[in-house]
Amino acid sequence: QVQLVESGGGLVQPGGSLRLSCAASGFTLDTYAIGWFRQAPGKEREGVSCISSSDGRTYYADSAKGRFTISRDNAKNTVYLQIHSLKPEDTAVYYCAAGRQNIATMYFPDVLGFDYWGQGTQVTVSS
């Protein structure tokens, strides 16, 4: 059974850093792209970053460029999202999602094309 589990969220001060993890089970990352999305209260879910399975090509939303880094470890079936210089506006529930790589990477940053979703991990940035 396909399952995605996020971890690594928490309460951090502005300017701090976090590394979020997305552990996949029930499938390997060989043919799936993994995307990170976030949703703040009162806002729509938005794409943050995505990484392909075949060549590791990465994609970033304009708002994420420079402070967010996505990476993957196929041996561990895990994808990471490193966030630096956290800002209060980064506060949100962060989700990882999987989709067939060609479809998902075409649709990103839209949610369309991503078939499987984790339950999310809360990131709160506050002093």
Side-chain angles (χ1 to χ4, degrees):
Q1 186 175 28
V2 175
Q3 187 174 20
L4 299 170
V5 180
E6 302 94 336
S7 63
L11 175 64
V12 297
Q13 295 182 335
S17 300
L18 281 176
R19 188 179 73 162
L20 308 182
S21 298
C22 174
S25 61
F27 70 103
T28 66
L29 302 179
D30 294 10
T31 59
Y32 284 84
I34 302 295
W36 282 97
F37 298 80
R38 67 183 182 184
Q39 188 166 22
K43 296 183 179 180
E44 295 186 25
R45 190 168 299 184
E46 63 176 356
V48 177
S49 185
C50 181
I51 187 167
S52 66
S53 62
S54 58
D55 56 6
R57 184 176 179 181
T58 57
Y59 306 80
Y60 294 93
D62 290 340
S63 62
K65 294 178 180 177
R67 297 190 299 115
F68 291 70
T69 302
I70 191 170
S71 61
R72 70 193 303 159
D73 187 336
N74 286 351
K76 296 181 178 180
N77 246 32
T78 301
V79 174
Y80 305 96
L81 183 68
Q82 182 74 44
I83 315 174
H84 296 289
S85 302
L86 280 158
K87 303 175 181 179
E89 51 262 44
D90 293 321
T91 296
V93 177
Y94 284 72
Y95 301 88
C96 66
R100 293 290 183 179
Q101 59 175 337
N102 190 50
I103 298 174
T105 55
M106 286 290 293
Y107 276 107
F108 184 84
D110 197 276
V111 298
L112 295 175
F114 292 86
D115 304 312
Y116 307 103
W117 293 81
Q119 292 184 311
T121 184
Q122 176 71 50
V123 173
T124 302
V125 184
S126 177
S127 59

